[in-house]
Amino acid sequence: MSVQQNLRDIKESLPASVKLVAITKTKSPEQIMEAYKAGHKVFGESKAQELLPKYEQLPGDIEWHMVGHLQSNKVKTIAPFVSLIHSVDKLKLLKVINKEGHKNKRVIPCLLQIHIAEESTKFGMDFQECCELLESESYRGMKNVSIMGLMGMATFTDNDEKVRSEFRRLKTYFDTIKQKYFPDDDRFSEISMGMSDDYMLAADEGSTMVRIGSAIFGKRPEN
Ligand SMILES: *Cc1c(COP(=O)(O)O)cnc(C)c1O
């Protein structure tokens, strides 16, 4: 299957309201250009050190998302151009993003990553930590970040019911946080959930943004 055909099939299967972020990790600029030429302009990377060179080499009208674990010392390399950081998992990281946003005279859109999976290896805050962040004085004083919603990754399993219940939990957290902290803020509207193996379940459970790599570009070497 071609990248172009894969993109078309995935877009056809998703509701029009769900945004597709094509995840390009380990993929070459040539492979990414296949998707770009098919009209796709929203891409994501899981490592800051791969995001920067791709941003520099590829067309300027691409919207670049950062979806993977982000270390504080890497924020400055992506702060000038990143469209959305999906993986804010600590107040400390958000502080650094805010500082770099200020230096770059911009407001950086962010999602808070919530831990919904069973595996302990997946990053993210629990619901309580997320509330504490939003209630902190430090967050309230930030002018150069904008929290647009939540992100989560489900457990890697064939058990669809388990995956579905984790996505449902993230949706419930989103609704609760929206009501409590962002009732009049239309920007808080995104739920980033769903990858190649589970995006249909995620869409079903209220995802507004799916992050899909291998189903578009083919399996990665480590898979
Ligand atoms: C790699 C990655 C994806 C995409 O994974 P696929 O299974 O290839 O679709 C999505 N989100 C994050 C955070 C990733 O690191």
Side-chain angles (χ1 to χ4, degrees):
M1 279 291 220
S2 68
V3 165
Q4 210 168 338
Q5 186 63 49
N6 291 340
L7 271 172
R8 197 176 314 144
D9 290 348
I10 292 167
K11 283 182 184 170
E12 267 170 23
S13 66
L14 285 169
S17 57
V18 178
K19 185 165 184 165
L20 172 59
V21 184
I23 305 300
T24 58
K25 62 189 183 204
T26 77
K27 301 301 169 185
S28 67
E30 292 71 28
Q31 286 168 300
I32 300 168
M33 280 309 289
E34 282 185 56
Y36 181 84
K37 285 180 200 148
H40 196 76
K41 308 234 162 133
V42 184
F43 295 97
E45 269 293 329
S46 61
K47 291 194 177 126
Q49 60 269 36
E50 285 193 49
L51 188 48
L52 180 61
K54 283 173 180 167
Y55 163 73
E56 287 172 338
Q57 285 174 50
L58 290 159
D61 62 344
I62 290 177
E63 188 182 300
W64 285 105
H65 293 213
M66 175 67 196
V67 302
H69 181 62
L70 179 57
Q71 288 169 304
S72 295
N73 63 1
K74 301 271 165 53
V75 174
K76 60 175 175 297
T77 65
I78 63 169
F81 66 88
V82 70
S83 288
L84 180 63
I85 297 175
H86 291 232
S87 43
V88 175
D89 59 358
K90 280 189 192 71
L91 178 60
K92 187 177 141 247
L93 175 61
L94 196 61
K95 281 184 195 168
V96 176
I97 297 170
N98 185 59
K99 192 178 84 186
E100 294 298 329
H102 181 74
K103 280 193 204 161
N104 286 280
K105 298 189 173 61
R106 61 181 296 233
V107 174
I108 300 179
C110 294
L111 303 178
L112 299 177
Q113 184 173 356
I114 308 275
H115 184 95
I116 50 170
E118 176 177 277
E119 293 112 273
S120 56
T121 51
K122 285 185 178 155
F123 294 100
M125 296 175 271
D126 63 27
F127 179 71
Q128 188 55 39
E129 288 171 317
C130 190
C131 294
E132 282 165 16
L133 182 155
L134 293 169
E135 286 168 20
S136 70
E137 238 169 86
S138 161
Y139 163 67
R140 286 154 177 258
M142 292 182 192
K143 298 198 163 45
N144 295 86
V145 292
S146 172
I147 308 284
M148 316 290 288
L150 304 181
M151 183 272 237
M153 289 166 90
T155 304
F156 186 67
T157 170
D158 291 336
N159 182 344
D160 282 3
E161 272 319 301
K162 180 170 180 59
V163 170
R164 196 181 271 284
S165 75
E166 290 172 355
F167 287 150
R168 198 169 292 163
R169 194 144 48 85
L170 187 60
K171 172 71 163 82
T172 305
Y173 291 161
F174 172 87
D175 291 339
T176 309
I177 289 171
K178 170 83 186 159
Q179 194 181 18
K180 198 164 170 194
Y181 301 105
F182 300 93
D184 303 314
D185 186 346
D186 291 341
R187 291 173 302 176
F188 189 88
S189 59
E190 303 289 352
I191 309 177
S192 168
M193 59 184 188
M195 302 172 34
S196 290
D197 292 331
D198 57 20
Y199 68 89
M200 288 308 291
L201 293 174
D204 233 31
E205 296 300 335
S207 171
T208 66
M209 219 177 244
V210 291
R211 310 175 310 272
I212 301 183
S214 45
I216 297 171
F217 297 107
K219 289 254 173 274
R220 288 179 295 274
E222 73 264 33
N223 289 345

